[in-house]
Amino acid sequence: MSAACFHCGEAIPHGVALDACVNGEAHAVCCIGCQAAAQWIATLGLADYYRLRSTPAGRAGAAVDFSAWDRAQLQRLYVRHAGNGSAEVCVLVEGLRCAACAWLIDRALRDLPGVRAVEVNPGARRVRIEWMPANMALSEMLGRIARLGYTPHPCNAQALDALDQRESRTALKRLIVAGLGMMQAMMFAVTLYAGAFEGIDPATRDFFRWIGLIVTTPVVIYAAQPFFAGAARELRARTLGMDTTIVLAITLIYVASLYETLRGGGEVYFDSASMFVFLLLGGRYLEMRARRHAADVVDALARLQPALAQRRSAAGAPETVGVHELEAGDIVVVAVGVAVPADGILLDEACEVDESLLTGESAARTRRRGETLIAGSVVRAGPVEMRVAHVGADTVLSSIMRLIERAQTRRPRAALLGDRIAARFVAGVLALTVLTAVAWLCFDPSRAFAAALAVLVVSCPCAFALSVPVAHLRAASALARIGVLMPGTDVLEKLARVDRVVFDKTGTLTRDRLELVGIDVIGARGADACLRIAAALELGSAHPLATAIRAAAPAGATIPRAEMLQTIAGAGIAGCIDGQRYRIGRTEFALGRAAPAATDDDAVVLADAHGALARLHLRETLRDEAAGAIAVLRAQGCKVAMLSGDSQARAAAVAERLGIDDFRARAKPDDKLRALEAWRACGDTVAMVGDGVNDAPVLAGADVAIALGGGTQLAQASADLVLASDRLDTIATARTLALTTLRVLRANLYWAIAYNLSGIPLAAFGLVPPWLAAIGMSASSLFVVLNSLRIAPPQASSPRAADAVPAFAEVLPA
């Protein structure tokens, strides 16, 4: 048999005699690539990688030129450039398998000049790098990853699909081998168990034992390989984990059964070994699917980005170009049913777009001229034209992906605490196993092995180790489906404790537009005539006042043509209609004299040469869901308050319309912080909801910071929650999900503790055979995974959902 390569583990071809010197020792390698990778790792002082790794590295291939990644057109798709000169990229790394791989990549990149931060996620096979492009080229960093024996890919749909398919195929093949081996071993074991009671001749018994050995050996050697790899990693890192107990149990069962088969006496447990491996692989396969389901949010977002776009050339004709060729200012045509290739401004009058995967809102949204179309949204009524504003890594879609990826690279404190407790628990289990064996050797040596083996199997802390991460991943996935992103890891515990929700007013409870609520006619003209004149004067203005006045013009009415328009910033507009001079704006501008002291700041005066014709009253437009969201939060027992920097009159008007009694007006950022500190001093757990820009200091001072997901706000990772859907009603739904997650988490932990406390004594007293212990251990792990599936967005049909979100069930996906 050929020797295995020290670096990649593959067989060394005949006639190849290459060595790599690592830690002063020569190790045989299979090719020049693996030799260079191993020696380079040693040169960097990272030889501990070979001690810590759980699986061999990927085979190092030929040198790859990554200089194309330095091109501006390609970087626009995958690299986000910040204002401080730094840049951020997330790449898929093929061959990234375990914690040792993550350690190696992290150490290799952190030492490079200009690298500010490196986050490696082995589960998702992603590496996020933040660096200064002026000091280090992206191609150099990717080249360093490649020299380690890994292959970096752009984070796109094709690379995701290829890696996911390979991982799923491998896991499924191991599960099938274990299942077939288990069924065959159990079938033969039935004969042996029946023979033990009814009698069986030794030749027949030995025949079925040898058949059991044959069908169980592939299960142990091939299907159980991930457990042996994990145990090897734990031993190299000098830690104890659940893989250690699993491997000990499998090894003891298999070796003891092999020994009894060879010598023709005692009992064999081939059926227990194969069943143990199959049930464990089944639990881990479900865990992988649960993790993949959470990662599917990012993967699905990656698939939203189209590869091609229809751009209008300088001559006006459409041409098909790659998305990476788009520049800000390009005119793009998007057909019906096609995804928007970049963030841009709608040039047509109106269109309907589906933003369900981005925002969680199932209904199509109507976008009007001048509004933003988000990359990845699908045009439902078109075709439409848009002017490109942001491309690639600067789009809202990329911002959402970065937030989710950051959440996936961090582990909650509860999960880290669970890992530490599990390590101590494993040490206790091993000690208890030895004590059980010693005790039975003193009383009944024939039962010592079975009792010790049952203790080892039944006490494996798989359920305990899975209880926290599976629940958190399921919660993150459920939140993402309703348009709520969770960049942090410990926000669920804090959100469940929130009993006061504080809203900013402008941009949070209200929208960035006004509405006409009344018109006082002063002159001889009627209200409709005054509105037509006002709309004519405001026809070319982009001011929110102008938009509200144009929207209030009588439907179907002919708007006269205004000429000689003159706009005075901060005052109003003057112009001529049918030879007569009109003015609209502030009272002093329209009438040419100072305004009375009691003048409404939100009133606009329309006047002609003879005096005032009408006074138009406008007010801020509330978000459609604001009142309902506040009502639901109150129904959940939360106190609601509002902080605003606006005038007392405007703040009071909004508070009255929403039924908010506790509000503060003309509040500066430090005033808002003092208000938060006062509420927290009274024992309240405060959640602050703001736009994430002007309210950044206040958000940082709250127990839970919730930012709306508009534009640049999505790029801020300081918020605990980001409402990508821009809907306030998702706050109550998120709180309900947080409460459900904590209930599920407690149930998982209680179950794991209760199972071990009840199962270990029974096994130690010899009341649980090894095969039953394997079923119980695997069943406890499956319970944790399946119980976590209860974490889902509330449905309108359920009583709990009806109490939580009575008015907004229609926006939640099924």
Side-chain angles (χ1 to χ4, degrees):
M1 182 176 179
S2 300
C5 175
F6 172 70
H7 180 73
C8 70
E10 295 186 12
I12 297 178
H14 180 70
V16 174
L18 296 172
D19 292 329
C21 185
V22 178
N23 284 339
E25 297 181 9
H27 300 274
V29 292
C30 65
C31 63
I32 296 177
C34 287
Q35 181 187 47
Q39 290 179 344
W40 191 62
I41 290 173
T43 303
L44 293 176
L46 302 176
D48 277 349
Y49 160 72
Y50 292 106
R51 179 177 61 84
L52 298 172
R53 65 179 180 175
S54 60
T55 57
R59 183 168 183 173
V64 179
D65 182 12
F66 293 99
S67 59
W69 283 74
D70 295 330
R71 297 177 183 173
Q73 289 182 333
L74 188 59
Q75 287 202 3
R76 279 201 302 270
L77 291 180
Y78 305 109
V79 179
R80 184 183 71 89
H81 293 273
N84 60 357
S86 66
E88 180 183 329
V89 67
C90 182
V91 295
L92 283 171
V93 178
E94 187 174 355
L96 176 55
R97 297 182 176 93
C98 63
C101 299
W103 175 86
L104 177 64
I105 293 174
D106 179 88
R107 295 295 180 89
L109 293 179
R110 281 187 185 276
D111 293 336
L112 292 175
V115 174
R116 302 179 62 183
V118 179
E119 291 181 356
V120 187
N121 183 357
R125 305 174 303 278
R126 290 180 175 89
V127 176
R128 190 185 71 85
I129 309 169
E130 184 180 344
W131 85 105
M132 303 297 291
N135 300 331
M136 175 62 59
L138 177 57
S139 60
E140 293 185 41
M141 294 188 294
L142 299 181
R144 174 163 282 210
I145 293 175
R147 289 181 66 185
L148 294 173
Y150 305 98
T151 306
H153 298 283
C155 192
N156 55 28
Q158 291 76 18
L160 289 166
D161 288 339
L163 292 177
D164 288 345
Q165 287 174 5
R166 280 196 291 271
E167 182 182 2
S168 296
R169 279 199 302 266
T170 301
L172 198 57
K173 283 191 294 185
R174 297 188 192 277
L175 186 61
I176 291 173
V177 169
L180 292 175
M182 180 195 68
M183 289 189 292
Q184 296 298 318
M186 291 186 69
M187 181 176 66
F188 301 133
V190 170
T191 304
L192 295 175
Y193 291 142
F197 292 100
E198 302 295 333
I200 186 172
D201 65 275
T204 304
R205 181 198 63 189
D206 292 343
F207 171 76
F208 280 106
R209 285 183 173 182
W210 280 102
I211 295 296
L213 172 64
I214 292 172
V215 299
T216 304
T217 298
V219 176
V220 174
I221 294 177
Y222 172 71
Q225 192 271 337
F227 305 116
F228 284 91
R233 182 190 69 240
E234 291 169 357
L235 292 177
R236 291 192 188 102
R238 298 178 178 86
T239 62
L240 291 175
M242 60 183 180
D243 282 342
T244 302
T245 59
I246 291 172
V247 166
L248 279 175
I250 294 173
T251 303
L252 287 174
I253 295 173
Y254 183 78
V255 171
S257 300
L258 175 61
Y259 174 74
E260 296 298 337
T261 300
L262 292 173
R263 77 182 188 93
E267 297 292 335
V268 296
Y269 304 98
F270 292 123
D271 56 323
S272 297
S274 57
M275 180 190 300
F276 189 42
V277 174
F278 173 74
L279 293 176
L280 280 171
L281 287 175
R284 291 204 173 181
Y285 186 77
L286 288 178
E287 179 195 359
M288 183 190 73
R289 296 301 301 173
R291 292 179 182 273
R292 182 70 54 75
H293 194 274
D296 278 348
V297 177
V298 178
D299 297 352
L301 290 174
R303 292 181 179 89
L304 288 178
Q305 182 77 47
L308 303 174
Q310 293 290 320
R311 181 178 64 185
R312 287 209 180 278
S313 64
E319 58 178 353
T320 302
V321 298
V323 171
H324 65 279
E325 299 180 58
L326 294 178
E327 301 274 358
D330 286 347
I331 305 300
V332 174
V333 179
V334 187
V336 177
V338 175
V340 176
D343 289 355
I345 306 300
L346 180 63
L347 300 180
D348 288 319
E349 190 63 33
C351 74
E352 287 189 353
V353 291
D354 179 3
E355 300 176 357
S356 57
L357 196 52
L358 288 165
T359 66
E361 187 173 352
S362 57
R365 286 188 170 186
T366 300
R367 297 295 185 189
R368 304 193 182 280
R369 187 196 305 272
E371 294 186 344
T372 300
L373 296 181
I374 301 175
S377 57
V378 179
V379 174
R380 293 302 183 199
V384 298
E385 286 191 354
M386 57 171 277
R387 179 181 293 106
V388 174
H390 303 287
V391 296
D394 295 326
T395 61
V396 171
L397 176 64
S398 295
S399 299
I400 295 175
M401 292 174 61
R402 279 193 298 273
L403 288 174
I404 299 178
E405 286 162 354
R406 286 179 182 176
Q408 291 177 344
T409 57
R410 300 166 184 165
R411 302 194 67 198
R413 287 193 299 268
L416 297 175
L417 178 61
D419 288 346
R420 291 194 294 269
I421 294 175
R424 296 172 185 171
F425 184 78
V426 168
V429 165
L430 295 178
L432 183 60
T433 302
V434 173
L435 289 176
T436 302
V438 171
W440 277 104
L441 286 172
C442 296
F443 293 99
D444 187 355
S446 64
R447 300 180 62 184
F449 178 76
L453 187 61
V455 169
L456 189 63
V457 172
V458 80
S459 59
C460 180
C462 297
F464 192 85
L466 288 174
S467 57
V468 175
V470 171
H472 273 267
L473 283 171
R474 180 67 181 177
S477 176
L479 287 171
R481 278 187 284 156
I482 62 171
V484 179
L485 305 181
M486 187 175 65
T489 54
D490 299 302
V491 65
L492 292 174
E493 292 84 351
K494 294 187 291 184
L495 182 61
R497 296 196 303 268
V498 164
D499 52 15
R500 179 180 289 274
V501 181
V502 182
F503 292 91
D504 174 52
K505 179 181 74 70
T506 305
T508 303
L509 293 172
T510 64
R511 296 193 180 275
D512 56 354
R513 62 174 181 263
L514 302 173
E515 61 180 348
L516 183 69
V517 294
I519 177 170
D520 297 331
V521 177
I522 300 173
R525 298 176 185 269
D528 288 351
C530 290
L531 284 175
R532 285 197 296 271
I533 295 171
L537 293 172
E538 301 282 8
L539 194 59
S541 174
H543 194 280
L545 287 170
T547 303
I549 291 172
R550 290 196 301 268
T558 301
I559 305 300
R561 179 181 177 83
E563 299 175 337
M564 301 175 64
L565 290 172
Q566 183 183 12
T567 301
I568 307 300
I573 298 176
C576 292
I577 300 176
D578 296 332
Q580 190 169 352
R581 188 75 172 170
Y582 294 94
R583 289 189 176 197
I584 185 170
R586 294 181 177 274
T587 303
E588 57 270 26
F589 171 76
L591 300 179
R593 62 176 183 270
T599 299
D600 183 1
D601 289 339
D602 291 329
V604 175
V605 174
L606 174 67
D608 60 10
H610 305 289
L613 298 177
R615 185 182 299 275
L616 287 69
H617 299 278
L618 299 104
R619 67 179 182 184
E620 294 176 286
T621 304
L622 295 178
R623 291 183 178 272
D624 298 335
E625 76 283 0
I630 290 173
V632 174
L633 287 171
R634 284 198 174 119
Q636 291 184 352
C638 293
K639 292 166 280 191
V640 177
M642 184 183 76
L643 296 176
S644 174
D646 212 338
S647 66
Q648 179 71 25
R650 292 179 179 175
V654 170
E656 182 180 1
R657 292 164 65 189
L658 294 174
I660 299 176
D661 299 324
D662 190 356
F663 70 93
R664 316 282 171 89
R666 298 192 182 279
K668 298 177 181 178
D670 54 345
D671 297 328
K672 295 180 181 181
L673 279 174
R674 281 194 291 269
L676 290 185
E677 291 170 359
W679 283 319
R680 295 173 69 182
C682 295
D684 292 344
T685 301
V686 182
M688 178 69 196
V689 188
D691 58 14
V693 178
N694 298 327
D695 299 305
V698 190
L699 289 172
D703 294 299
V704 177
I706 304 176
L708 297 183
T712 59
Q713 291 78 13
L714 276 173
Q716 298 187 4
S718 58
D720 297 308
L721 292 176
V722 178
L723 307 184
S725 62
D726 255 1
R727 294 190 62 89
L728 300 178
D729 48 11
T730 55
I731 299 174
T733 309
R735 188 172 179 272
T736 300
L737 277 172
L739 292 169
T740 303
T741 301
L742 291 189
R743 285 194 295 268
V744 169
L745 185 57
R746 283 194 292 267
N748 287 348
L749 292 173
Y750 291 157
W751 166 262
I753 294 172
Y755 163 76
N756 282 287
L757 290 178
S758 59
I760 291 176
L762 293 175
F765 283 106
L767 302 177
V768 178
W771 63 269
L772 185 58
I775 293 178
M777 185 278 304
S778 300
S780 67
S781 300
L782 290 176
F783 171 84
V784 166
V785 174
L786 296 176
N787 187 47
S788 299
L789 297 180
R790 296 193 297 118
I791 303 173
Q795 301 296 319
S797 57
S798 67
R800 186 178 302 276
D803 293 339
V805 283
F808 308 105
E810 68 273 12
V811 305
L812 300 179

